[in-house]
Amino acid sequence: MEMQYFVQPGTHEQHFAAWKEERFNWFLNLGMSKDAIRFKPHEKLAHYAAAAEDIEFMFPFGWGEIEGIHSRTDFELGNHEKFSGKKLEYVDTVTRERYVPYVIETSVGASRSFKAFLCNAYNEEISIDEGKEDKRTVMRLHPKLAPVKAAVFPLVKKDGMPEFADKIYRDLQKSFKVEYDESGAVGRRYRRQDEIGTPFCITVDGDSLSDNSVTIRHRDTMQQERISVDAVKQYLVKELI
C-alpha cells in the first residue's frame, strides 16, 4: 500500500523526518517490540530521490523490509508537467508563491507487516507447576489486532451457567468478535484462547447468578478481576477501542 504526501520544496527534509517518526510509531503503537524494528538507509539512491530509508523487522531468518519511506523530490510532478504541458504548480493563497510540490512517499507491505506482527506476538512460556514443566503458547497480539476480542465461558455446564454465559455472549456479539466455549476444563479453554491471541476471557461461575458479576482474565498477565455483568461491554470498549 502506497501513500503520497505533497510538501513545499525546502521543507522536504523535515517532512521526511516527521513521516519516519510517524510510521515507526505506528508499528510501536500496535504492539511491535522496539528492539524488533529498525531503520535502514538506502546505500544507493535513485537518481530522483533526496532520501530513502526502510523499516525492517527481525524475522526468524533475519532482518527484512516491511516498509519504505522515500523523498522523491518533484520528479513525478515535474516530468508530468514537462511532457503534458499542463501546469501542476501549487499556489499559496496568502503569499502567492508558486511551486511544484515535492513528494514524500511511504510504501508498506500488508502481507509482510502481517507476518511481522505474528512473529512479534508469538511467545512460549515455561512454568513449573508442582514439579512439572508447563508450557503456555501465547499470541501477544495488540487488542486492536486480535481477531477475537473476548471469549465467554460457563465454569461448568450446569446450574444455569451456560444460559447465563450465552446471554452475555450474544449481547457482546453485537459489538465485538467474540467466542463461546464450554468444552473441557476451563484451564484448557484459557489456553486455546491464548494460542489465538484473545485478550480477554470472561467466566461465569456459581456466584454470577446471584451477584450478577463475572471474572475477566487478562491474556498476558493471566490476572483476573471481578466486575459487574452490566460493566463488561464498557470495559471491553475502553480496552479495545
Side-chain angles (χ1 to χ4, degrees), residues 12 51-52 55 62 71 99 114 121 133-134 167 178 196 199 216 227 229:
H12 61 283
I55 297 177
S71 178
Y99 57 85
F114 173 74
E133 280 195 358
D134 183 39
K167 185 176 182 300
V178 295
I196 65 172
I216 291 189
I227 69 170
V229 170

Side-chain angles (χ1 to χ4, degrees), residues 24 33-41 53-58 62-67:
F24 197 83
S33 171
K34 191 173 184 178
D35 296 332
I37 54 177
R38 70 179 186 184
F39 283 112
K40 183 181 180 181
E53 296 194 28
D54 294 332
I55 297 177
E56 294 187 329
F57 175 79
M58 174 54 83
W63 290 101
E65 177 195 349
I66 54 177
E67 179 164 352

Side-chain angles (χ1 to χ4, degrees), residues 61-120:
F61 52 78
W63 290 101
E65 177 195 349
I66 54 177
E67 179 164 352
I69 306 168
H70 310 270
S71 178
R72 301 174 65 90
T73 67
D74 61 353
F75 179 76
E76 285 94 352
L77 294 178
N79 275 280
H80 190 82
E81 184 179 70
K82 176 181 177 181
F83 291 105
S84 69
K86 302 293 184 180
K87 289 286 188 180
L88 293 178
E89 294 177 325
Y90 173 80
V91 180
D92 190 309
T93 57
V94 177
T95 65
R96 295 298 178 183
E97 182 183 2
R98 307 171 70 94
Y99 57 85
V100 176
Y102 275 32
V103 172
I104 305 296
E105 177 188 82
T106 66
S107 179
V108 57
S111 59
R112 295 180 188 181
S113 296
F114 173 74
K115 293 172 185 177
F117 279 116
L118 284 180
C119 291
N120 183 77

Side-chain angles (χ1 to χ4, degrees), residues 93-177:
T93 57
V94 177
T95 65
R96 295 298 178 183
E97 182 183 2
R98 307 171 70 94
Y99 57 85
V100 176
Y102 275 32
V103 172
I104 305 296
E105 177 188 82
T106 66
S107 179
V108 57
S111 59
R112 295 180 188 181
S113 296
F114 173 74
K115 293 172 185 177
F117 279 116
L118 284 180
C119 291
N120 183 77
Y122 184 83
N123 188 266
E124 292 182 355
E125 299 175 350
I126 303 296
S127 60
I128 305 298
D129 185 14
E130 297 181 354
K132 296 181 180 180
E133 280 195 358
D134 183 39
K135 183 172 75 172
R136 183 172 81 116
T137 301
V138 191
M139 290 297 293
R140 297 185 185 278
L141 292 166
H142 190 282
K144 290 183 179 179
L145 298 180
V148 178
K149 305 305 183 185
V152 183
F153 308 148
L155 185 61
V156 293
K157 294 191 287 185
K158 62 180 182 180
D159 300 332
M161 294 182 214
E163 293 79 9
F164 195 93
D166 184 68
K167 185 176 182 300
I168 296 172
Y169 162 72
R170 292 184 182 279
D171 181 57
L172 293 178
Q173 198 178 36
K174 300 172 184 176
S175 304
F176 310 101
K177 173 64 177 176

